[in-house]
Amino acid sequence: MVPEAEFSSYYGKPVLNRPTWKPLDIAGYLYLGGLAGGSSLLAAGADLTGRPVLARAAKLGAAGAISLSLAALVHDLGRPARFLNMLRVFKPTSPMSVGSWLLTAYAPLTMAAAATDVARRYRLVGSAATAGAAVLGTGVATYTAVLVADTAVPSWHEGYRELPFVFAGSGASAAAGLGLLAAPAGQAGPARRMAVLGAALELGSFQLMKQRMGLSAEPYEQGRPHLLLRMSEVLTAGGAALAVVSGRRRDRWLAAAAGTALLTGSAALRFAVFHAGVASAEDPKYTVVPQRERLTERGR
């Protein structure tokens, strides 16, 4: 009997270069962008429904999150000039180019929305800025998924269909968590609903993504990514459940616990995605085996 062949690459060397991005900078950048985009949507909804405390918290959260997100990105790039260099051209086929221009347009809108709300002046300008930030916020929350899926990293690239929905749900959950922490129970209704919808979208899309990815989903079930994902699932599902219960009981402590769980769960998901991608790039089987399978299928 011939033993079953084991996969091996050329001298055991990786096929892809390992991503050199700093985990705290880039995973933090992914997380904070989602929080900012979701908060802008929540702020617009709170303004329209007459919930001023929730609206102000969401506006300040969006402005603070996008500022920290840009700081993390620039820190990873090494010099601010490198970010400015990306604005020399606009290339619609490049997620990095589109994302750079999106951030450049979105960040000032969040600052204007927050500043006018705190100052209680220039209400028309503030309303326009809030609406503009909400429109662009959907792109800010999801373009990073397109950005990482556009690379050759197997566990990112193979999830290109569902990953934007995962990030959209994660950003909504994080924004809802911030709203639950900051707003009184009487004004937190939109945050509670966003928590449930965001958690359902995030968890459901991620399960669909793993089922479709095949072998490339394996890094999500091993080591650090696996632990982070389990943490994310428990915190996100538990936070959404607590959000519903806190609304029925009008319990401020339950709302705070729900908000903390949702914020932490969203962060854990982004770090899990980052580390799973790095692991898949380091092991050549995640690159070569799916390629061979696709060639075999085409031959048939």
Side-chain angles (χ1 to χ4, degrees), residues 51-275:
R51 293 174 167 86
V53 178
L54 178 62
R56 177 172 295 182
K59 291 173 187 178
L60 290 172
I66 201 61
S67 299
L68 291 173
S69 179
L70 284 169
L73 177 60
V74 170
H75 184 263
D76 186 78
L77 291 172
R79 298 196 307 270
R82 290 178 176 170
F83 178 80
L84 297 176
N85 284 340
M86 293 188 286
L87 302 177
R88 293 183 300 173
V89 296
F90 177 73
K91 189 177 180 182
T93 57
S94 169
M96 179 60 78
S97 177
V98 173
S100 299
W101 281 100
L102 183 61
L103 290 175
T104 302
Y106 171 77
L109 291 174
T110 64
M111 305 298 178
T116 54
D117 191 281
V118 171
R120 300 182 185 278
R121 301 179 64 183
Y122 308 109
R123 295 297 177 86
L124 289 177
V125 174
S127 296
T130 300
V135 172
L136 295 182
T138 56
V140 171
T142 55
Y143 96 90
T144 49
V146 181
L147 178 65
V148 298
D150 196 45
T151 66
V153 176
S155 290
W156 294 341
H157 178 72
E158 294 299 325
Y160 71 94
R161 292 179 183 172
E162 296 86 5
L163 199 57
F165 295 98
V166 174
F167 276 28
S170 176
S173 297
L178 180 63
L180 288 166
L181 277 171
Q187 295 191 24
R192 289 191 292 269
R193 289 186 285 274
M194 180 177 270
V196 174
L197 293 174
L201 179 61
E202 174 190 334
L203 298 174
S205 298
F206 201 89
Q207 291 303 316
L208 289 175
M209 184 182 81
K210 288 197 299 181
Q211 290 174 11
R212 189 186 61 80
M213 286 173 61
L215 180 65
S216 299
E218 193 174 272
Y220 290 107
E221 301 297 333
Q222 299 174 347
R224 184 186 302 178
H226 176 72
L227 293 176
L228 288 169
L229 277 177
R230 296 292 82 77
M231 181 190 303
S232 172
E233 290 171 354
V234 170
L235 289 171
T236 300
L242 285 175
V244 173
V245 174
S246 69
R248 293 175 179 173
R249 296 185 179 180
R250 300 285 175 171
D251 191 316
R252 193 73 190 85
W253 289 105
L254 277 179
T260 302
L262 290 166
L263 283 166
T264 308
S266 179
L269 173 77
R270 306 306 174 107
F271 278 86
V273 170
F274 179 86
H275 287 295

Side-chain angles (χ1 to χ4, degrees), residues 265-293:
S266 179
L269 173 77
R270 306 306 174 107
F271 278 86
V273 170
F274 179 86
H275 287 295
V278 172
S280 71
E282 290 177 335
D283 192 332
K285 77 176 181 181
Y286 298 118
T287 302
V288 177
V289 172
Q291 288 178 346
R292 291 176 177 174
E293 291 176 347

